[in-house]
Amino acid sequence: MLDIPSRVRVHVDALIAAQNDMGVCDAIGRNAPVGKPATMSAPHLPNVAGIDSTVPASAHTAAALADASVPSTAPGALIQDRLAGWVSDLTTLHELTERLATTSSLDDALHELLRAGAALVGARRGMVVLEPPAGRGPSSTVGLGLAHADLGHIETVPRSATPYGRILDGAPASTPAPVAQADLFGDEALDPRLREVAARLGYAASYALPLATVEAGKLGVAVWFYDEPAEPVERQRHLVGLYGRYATEHLARLLDLDRARRRMAIIAEELLPSRLPRVPGVRLAARHLGGPRGGGEWYDALPLPEGALGLAVGSVSGSGPSALAAMGRLRASLRAYAVMEGEDPVAVLSDLELLLRLTEPARSATALFAYCEPALRKVVLAGAGHTPPLITGERRTEFVETSLSAPLGMLACWEAPSVEFSPAPGETVLLYTDGLLRRTGDPTDRAFARLHAAAASVPRAARHDPAAVADHVLRSVLPEGLGCAEDPDEDAEDMVMLAAWFE
C-alpha cells in the first residue's frame, strides 16, 4: 500500500467520483496507434493512472515518465493533486491484479505479468525467466514482443552478464533488489556479447524485477527492454514492485497447484495397467487422457482361463485423490470377480455393485465388462449406466445395442441383461468412457454422431492397427486433437479408450 501521511485529511469524495472510469489497461488499448508509429511506439499511460502521458517517447519504447505537477496557488490544490495520483495508482494496481487473479495456468499468468509490467514501467518488450527451486515446478522462459529466436539470442549471452542471471545466481536473499541498466551502450563494462545481442534486437536499456518474496522464495525474474536509454522513475518502480510481489505469490500458488496435479496424474497412471496382455486372436491398445482435477476413469484387460479375455472400462463419481482411490479399489475388485465368474458379465457387475453399495454408499460408478473369446470371435458384455461400445471395420461402423441400466450404486439391487455379438475379421471394438463425449463440448447426441463419423473415417491402411484406430478417432473427435492431452482445459475430464482388433 502507498504511504499516505496520516495528517493529510482531505475530503475527496467529489474527487474520486470525478475520476475517469477507464482503467489504465483499457486506456492503453484504446489509444494504441494504427500502423507504424513515427515518434513513439507505445501508447502512453493515461492521466487516470497518475502518469503524465505528454512526455515524448522513442521509436519503440515508452520513455520514463516524469512525476511533475503544476504548482497551484489555491490552498490545498497540491495536496489534492498528490492524493488524486495515489488514488489513481491504487485503482491501476487493483485492475492489474484482478486481471492476474483470473489466470489459472502458469503460461497465462506469465504473459499477463509481462503485459501489466510493461504498462507500469513504460516498455513494450520483455521476458520472464521462471526458475523455481528444485522440485517445486518446471522452469520456463516467456517473451513479450520477442520471438523464440530472439529469446534464443538472449540466452547465448553469458548468464553472469545478464541482469536476470545476476539476480537468480546471486546471494540467496529473500528479496533481491531490481537491476536497472539505463544505458547499455554507454556502459564501458558491458559484456561484448550482451552489447552485440542488444544491438541486434534493438534495445538500449532494461529493467529487471525479481519475482521473490519472503513467503514464496525466489521464483524467477521479469525483465523489460527499452529501445533507447531510459529507466522507470521512482513512482513506476514503486508500482511495479507492489505488483511484482502480488504476482510472485500468485505464481507460487499456481506452481503448488501444478505440482499437485502432476502427482495425481502419476498416481492415476500407476493405478492403470502397466501393459496390456497378449492373447492369440486379438490385439489391444489403450489411451488415457487425464484432466487437471484428476478423475476416476479407468480401463482394464486381463487374460482369463481357456484363452478368453476380459475387457473393462468404467468411471467413478467425483474427482481428486478420493476418486482415484475409489477407482483403484473398484478396478482391483472387478479383476477378482472376473477371474471367478468372468463368463457371466452380469454376475461380475452385480458383485461389483454390491461391494460399492456396502463400502462406499455415497459414491456411484459406471462400468462395462466384456467377456471375449477371440478364437470364436464372440463377445458377451454387460453395462451399468455406461456408454455403448462402437464396432468399426471396412464394411460397417455402428454402436452395439445394449440395454438401458442405471449406474452402480444408484439402485437397491442392480441387474441388467447381457448382450452378445460377433466382430468380423479385421473389425475393431472401441470401449470408452463418457469423459470422451464431454470433452467434445457438444450435446450428447452430436458427440455420439461425431464419434461415429470419426470411426467411419479411419483410413484403410490404419484399420489393422488398434493404436492407429484409437489415435485417429481421438484426433477427429477432440476439439484440439491429441494436443489437448498436454495442456487440457481447466474443466477437462479424464477419459479412456480401449481398442480391441480381432483377427
Side-chain angles (χ1 to χ4, degrees):
M1 182 177 291
L2 302 177
D3 299 329
I4 301 178
S6 59
R7 60 177 178 274
V8 178
R9 299 180 179 177
V10 181
H11 295 285
V12 295
D13 293 342
L15 175 63
I16 297 176
Q19 291 293 317
N20 195 321
D21 291 335
M22 182 172 59
V24 60
C25 296
D26 295 331
I28 291 175
R30 297 184 187 181
N31 293 297
V34 179
K36 185 176 181 180
T39 59
M40 60 196 230
S41 64
H44 293 295
L45 302 180
N47 290 333
V48 68
I51 301 177
D52 185 5
S53 63
T54 62
V55 180
S58 63
H60 290 286
T61 305
L65 306 177
D67 185 13
S69 57
V70 179
S72 176
T73 56
L78 179 60
I79 296 178
Q80 289 189 356
D81 288 343
R82 294 182 63 186
L83 188 58
W86 289 332
V87 172
S88 183
D89 290 343
L90 291 174
T91 303
T92 298
L93 285 177
H94 176 73
E95 291 181 1
L96 296 178
T97 54
E98 283 292 315
R99 292 192 179 192
L100 182 63
T102 60
T103 60
S104 58
S105 67
L106 279 175
D107 189 66
D108 291 342
L110 294 177
H111 280 92
E112 179 60 31
L113 165 63
L114 283 175
R115 287 191 292 266
L120 291 174
V121 302
R124 291 192 61 181
R125 292 185 292 175
M127 61 181 290
V128 171
V129 180
L130 187 68
E131 291 187 4
R136 189 163 185 184
S139 299
S140 62
T141 302
V142 176
L144 173 68
L146 297 172
H148 288 291
D150 299 332
L151 296 175
H153 286 305
I154 295 176
E155 291 176 349
T156 62
V157 180
R159 189 178 173 97
S160 59
T162 62
Y164 69 85
R166 292 202 294 269
I167 293 176
L168 292 174
D169 300 335
S174 57
T175 53
V179 176
Q181 292 180 320
D183 187 359
L184 290 174
F185 299 105
D187 186 1
E188 297 180 355
L190 190 70
D191 185 273
R193 180 57 183 167
L194 178 57
R195 188 190 307 274
E196 178 184 348
V197 171
R200 181 168 186 170
L201 300 183
Y203 69 89
S206 66
Y207 183 74
L209 177 70
L211 300 176
T213 62
V214 176
E215 296 79 8
K218 188 190 299 183
L219 302 182
V221 179
V223 187
W224 292 277
F225 302 106
Y226 299 89
D227 296 345
E228 292 185 359
E231 62 179 314
V233 298
E234 183 61 29
R235 190 169 84 222
Q236 288 175 310
R237 295 190 184 203
H238 185 56
L239 289 174
V240 76
L242 292 175
Y243 180 81
R245 287 195 286 274
Y246 177 86
T248 302
E249 296 294 337
H250 184 65
L251 290 175
R253 290 190 292 270
L254 291 179
L255 285 171
D256 293 340
L257 180 61
D258 182 74
R259 186 172 67 255
R261 287 173 174 173
R262 290 177 183 273
R263 289 177 177 175
M264 282 200 301
I266 294 175
I267 295 174
E269 292 296 332
E270 291 295 328
L271 290 175
L272 295 175
S274 58
R275 62 183 181 86
L276 296 174
R278 296 178 178 270
V279 177
V282 65
R283 285 191 290 173
L284 303 175
R287 296 292 183 266
H288 172 229
L289 303 183
R293 298 180 180 179
E297 313 279 304
W298 56 275
Y299 68 91
D300 204 352
L302 67 157
L304 297 175
E306 300 180 358
L309 175 69
L311 302 177
V313 291
S315 173
V316 300
S317 60
S319 60
S322 62
L324 290 177
M327 178 264 284
R329 292 191 293 267
L330 202 67
R331 173 177 169 264
S333 301
L334 185 139
R335 290 177 69 91
Y337 298 144
V339 170
M340 292 186 295
E341 47 192 6
E343 67 279 359
D344 186 358
V346 173
V348 172
L349 293 186
S350 297
D351 293 342
L352 196 64
E353 193 275 337
L354 178 60
L355 176 70
L356 184 68
R357 182 157 46 90
L358 294 177
T359 58
E360 299 187 63
R363 192 181 298 277
S364 62
T366 65
L368 186 147
F369 178 73
Y371 178 79
C372 307
E373 296 181 80
L376 303 177
R377 287 195 299 275
K378 175 183 174 183
V379 179
V380 181
L381 64 86
H386 205 77
T387 51
L390 180 63
I391 184 169
T392 180
E394 294 184 2
R395 297 180 179 272
R396 63 170 176 170
T397 297
E398 61 187 24
F399 290 100
V400 178
E401 294 186 5
T402 58
S403 58
L404 296 177
S405 61
L408 303 177
M410 297 292 290
L411 300 178
C413 182
W414 176 92
E415 186 172 350
S418 61
V419 297
E420 180 180 329
F421 65 96
S422 297
E427 289 187 332
T428 301
V429 178
L430 296 176
L431 310 181
Y432 54 93
T433 59
D434 53 1
L436 173 62
L437 302 178
R438 287 194 289 267
R439 278 207 179 203
T440 64
D442 293 334
T444 303
D445 55 343
R446 293 184 60 185
F448 275 117
R450 177 183 290 189
L451 178 60
H452 183 277
S457 65
V458 175
R460 176 176 296 181
R463 288 194 174 275
H464 297 284
D465 183 0
V469 173
D471 290 339
H472 175 85
V473 171
L474 292 179
R475 280 194 300 265
S476 303
V477 171
L478 299 179
E480 300 177 6
L482 291 178
C484 66
E486 301 176 359
D487 188 19
D489 295 336
E490 182 67 21
D491 297 329
E493 297 188 30
D494 280 12
M495 63 80 44
V496 299
M497 175 174 284
L498 182 60
W501 177 84
F502 288 84
E503 294 181 355

